[in-house]
Amino acid sequence: MAEPVRAGRRPRVVVVGAGFGGINAAMRLGKMAVDVTIVDKKNHHTFQPLLYQVALAVLSPGEIAQPIRSILRNYPNTEVVMDEVIGFDTKARRVFLKSGAELLYDYLVVATGSTHSYFGKDEWAKLAPGLKTLEDATEIRRRVLLAFELAERQMLENGQHPPLNFVIIGGGPTGVELAGAISDIAKLYMRRDFRHINPAMAQVMILEGSPHILGAYPEDLQASAVRQLHALGVQTRTGSHVTDVQPGFVMVGEEKIESVCTLWAAGVQASALGKMLAPALPCETDRRGCLLVDGYLNPVGHPEVFVIGDLAHFEQDGKQVPGVAQPAMQMGNYAAGRIERLIHGKGEGQKPFRYFDKGDMATIGRKAAVARIAWPFRAHWSGFMAWVTWLVVHIFFLIGFRNRLSVFRQWAYTYLSFQDGVRLIVGSQELPGWNELMEATPPPVDPAVEPRNTSGV
Ligand SMILES: Cc1cc2nc3c(=O)[nH]c(=O)nc-3n(C[C@H](O)[C@H](O)[C@H](O)COP(=O)(O)OP(=O)(O)OC[C@H]3O[C@@H](n4cnc5c(N)ncnc54)[C@H](O)[C@@H]3O)c2cc1C
């Protein structure tokens, strides 16, 4: 059992990470007689399931994120520190921050999530960005939109442009969502916006190493997802291991696949902080660096430390609970409740954590999705019905009434008008590999296609 807190002062709880796990823990702890400090290197909580809509210009960053301070405004016993945690002394119960400050705790909740894994090829990250943060989303938006802008400019200058091939590495939910959304903006939303290129000619391809698209979903939904992707014109290639990523192309074995924009949706590993916490406890990790926790979400021998969400390796019925939002939220809630019981000496006899699976959903494009419903009834849905369910569930779980209202309004507008709101390119106008692709593009075969402007645009 955790040692009792000295009489005369309230127990101190430090929560590291304000994602789904951390913010849920902090909100429940905020109603208890404890002092809570939540530390995050960002000042905002991000609703990651809608990041791809920021990446593909449907929503703006402010609609899917909210300052942590404003979420916890009504919990006077909570304080927010914007800083990066860089280490722990679990004997002295201290957390070390990048700024040099230290925090003391009686109970510690660590929920720093996961990050991309390039399987040891970190140099690919610049060429094939992944999607995890708002910064990633705006960078992907920049690259996707820039490819169309550069193609239009090249048509003016040279009467030719490289094929608009978009390659997405990884056929899990994020890869499928990105592919469907790129296809939607090219074929539906931008079709009347350009004068010299036809955005609908863009080709989107998913390269997946395993034999299945949406490998974690039931077989009927995998097959349905592939059908829905093909109906959108997205090519899917399974069993295709990417062996190299270079500016303007990717390699699958000996095959070279040209790409104006390559996106990474393939691998996930525990957040870097796991590597600092595990030896400090010490605690075993799995192959992705997630910390092994017991039924109470504690690393063995540390009832005062909780590791939750994507950073935790928690097994139920012999299987690892997936790294998605619902388990993270439920774990945050459980850890806070467990801390309350421990403080009141009622830890003995508490039931271990049990993940309550309500199902999974992945959207594929406008009016296209798959859904495995596990509660309140069991069903597999595809197409429009699954898409509507996805919309409702995601609006419901967004934090903040203002965000819910504004996302609802934006979706309704996009759906009815075929316009999406935030196709803004901010930042550099360089696209990795574009110049190489232009050099490799043959001159126009049709003599009627003449450069319109040779002086540059
Ligand atoms: C693009 C995308 C789409 C997704 N779609 C879905 C979906 O449709 N449905 C679903 O259920 N799940 C989805 N997920 C998964 C889901 O978002 C995660 O499982 C969930 O966010 C995990 O919650 P968490 O609290 O463990 O970590 P996170 O929510 O990732 O939060 C971690 C927090 O820790 C902070 N942090 C990290 N390191 C430090 C440090 N050293 N110091 C201080 N702070 C730190 C980060 O800034 C972040 O705020 C998606 C994920 C992504 C990336």
Side-chain angles (χ1 to χ4, degrees):
M1 280 289 115
E3 283 172 34
V5 176
R6 275 202 321 277
R9 85 165 165 76
R10 299 211 305 183
R12 284 180 294 228
V13 186
V14 172
V15 179
V16 186
F20 283 107
I23 209 80
N24 273 276
M27 287 198 292
R28 181 149 180 208
L29 289 162
K31 296 179 190 146
M32 299 176 192
V34 292
D35 289 324
V36 184
T37 304
I38 184 160
V39 193
D40 199 295
K41 57 186 177 181
K42 310 268 181 203
N43 84 326
H44 52 267
H45 165 84
T46 307
F47 191 84
Q48 292 172 13
L50 289 182
L51 271 174
Y52 85 95
Q53 295 226 338
V54 174
L56 277 315
V58 177
L59 297 173
S60 56
E63 285 168 323
I64 67 153
Q66 201 170 357
I68 301 160
R69 262 174 221 297
S70 69
I71 299 172
L72 297 173
R73 181 183 293 146
N74 296 328
Y75 302 93
N77 63 332
T78 60
E79 62 179 10
V80 180
V81 177
M82 184 182 159
D83 207 335
E84 186 173 341
V85 172
I86 54 162
F88 303 89
D89 178 343
T90 53
K91 285 206 178 75
R93 296 193 179 182
R94 276 166 202 271
V95 175
F96 303 115
L97 307 184
K98 198 171 181 182
S99 62
E102 293 178 15
L103 298 170
L104 287 169
Y105 64 84
D106 299 303
Y107 296 95
L108 174 68
V109 181
V110 187
T112 50
S114 53
T115 184
H116 320 295
S117 165
Y118 286 86
F119 309 122
K121 303 274 188 185
D122 290 349
E123 64 276 15
W124 293 355
K126 277 198 184 124
L127 301 170
L131 184 58
K132 185 72 190 169
T133 62
L134 288 179
E135 288 86 343
D136 296 336
T138 48
E139 173 59 14
I140 290 176
R141 181 177 77 185
R142 186 188 76 79
R143 290 187 189 208
V144 172
L145 298 179
L146 192 58
F148 291 99
E149 292 296 338
L150 293 180
E152 177 85 346
R153 195 160 81 186
Q154 292 295 343
M155 281 303 281
L156 274 167
E157 286 181 13
N158 305 317
Q160 185 61 298
H161 67 80
L164 287 170
N165 294 341
F166 293 82
V167 171
I168 293 153
I169 304 171
T174 301
V176 165
E177 284 171 352
L178 284 169
I182 295 176
S183 170
D184 272 356
I185 60 169
K187 293 189 169 42
L188 298 177
Y189 300 122
M190 296 203 302
R191 63 194 162 149
R192 292 206 301 266
D193 293 5
F194 290 88
R195 299 292 170 261
H196 303 282
I197 61 165
N198 178 5
M201 297 301 284
Q203 287 290 329
V204 185
M205 179 188 284
I206 298 177
L207 297 174
E208 165 60 41
S210 82
H212 303 289
I213 295 295
L214 291 185
Y217 282 64
E219 271 177 31
D220 59 324
L221 295 184
Q222 289 172 4
S224 168
V226 170
R227 276 196 305 276
Q228 293 181 71
L229 283 164
H230 290 174
L232 289 174
V234 174
Q235 295 177 41
T236 54
R237 287 184 45 180
T238 52
S240 296
H241 290 276
V242 170
T243 47
D244 199 7
V245 179
Q246 289 294 331
F249 65 92
V250 303
M251 298 296 294
V252 174
E254 296 298 306
E255 186 188 359
K256 180 176 176 181
I257 301 172
E258 286 192 348
S259 170
V260 285
C261 178
T262 307
L263 302 177
W264 186 261
V268 173
Q269 63 184 345
S271 71
L273 198 66
K275 283 204 182 85
M276 294 159 214
L277 180 60
L281 286 161
C283 170
E284 255 185 87
T285 54
D286 67 12
R287 67 185 168 81
R288 289 187 306 169
C290 300
L291 278 76
L292 270 56
V293 293
D294 64 17
Y296 299 100
L297 308 179
N298 305 128
V300 172
H302 285 276
E304 78 290 0
V305 178
F306 295 81
V307 181
I308 62 171
D310 284 7
L311 184 62
H313 177 120
F314 173 77
E315 291 196 4
Q316 178 169 301
D317 305 330
K319 277 202 299 206
Q320 184 179 355
V321 163
V324 289
Q326 279 297 325
M329 292 161 86
Q330 293 174 24
M331 286 179 184
N333 198 33
Y334 179 90
R338 174 87 182 147
I339 289 171
E340 186 172 38
R341 288 182 74 119
L342 290 174
I343 289 169
H344 294 109
K346 294 182 182 165
E348 292 290 349
Q350 183 181 3
K351 283 194 182 149
F353 172 74
R354 209 167 160 78
Y355 168 50
F356 179 49
D357 178 15
K358 295 178 188 164
D360 306 301
M361 278 176 251
T363 169
I364 296 164
R366 188 183 157 90
K367 297 196 282 187
V370 289
R372 177 187 65 84
I373 315 283
W375 182 87
F377 49 83
R378 287 179 182 275
H380 292 178
W381 289 344
S382 294
F384 184 67
M385 186 76 164
W387 182 72
V388 171
T389 313
W390 182 92
L391 292 183
V392 172
V393 167
H394 283 73
I395 291 263
F396 181 77
F397 280 107
L398 261 177
I399 286 195
F401 178 72
R402 190 184 63 82
N403 283 350
R404 279 189 210 123
L405 196 67
S406 118
V407 167
F408 178 73
R409 214 177 36 214
Q410 185 60 38
W411 281 351
Y413 173 73
T414 304
Y415 183 74
L416 295 173
S417 70
F418 283 89
Q419 298 274 337
D420 48 357
V422 272
R423 287 209 301 270
L424 307 178
I425 297 174
V426 284
S428 150
Q429 291 193 16
E430 298 287 318
L431 195 57
W434 182 265
N435 294 337
E436 289 86 341
L437 284 168
M438 261 321 285
E439 275 163 27
T441 305
V445 279
D446 180 355
V449 182
E450 281 178 14
R452 287 272 303 274
N453 179 353
T454 49
S455 62
V457 180

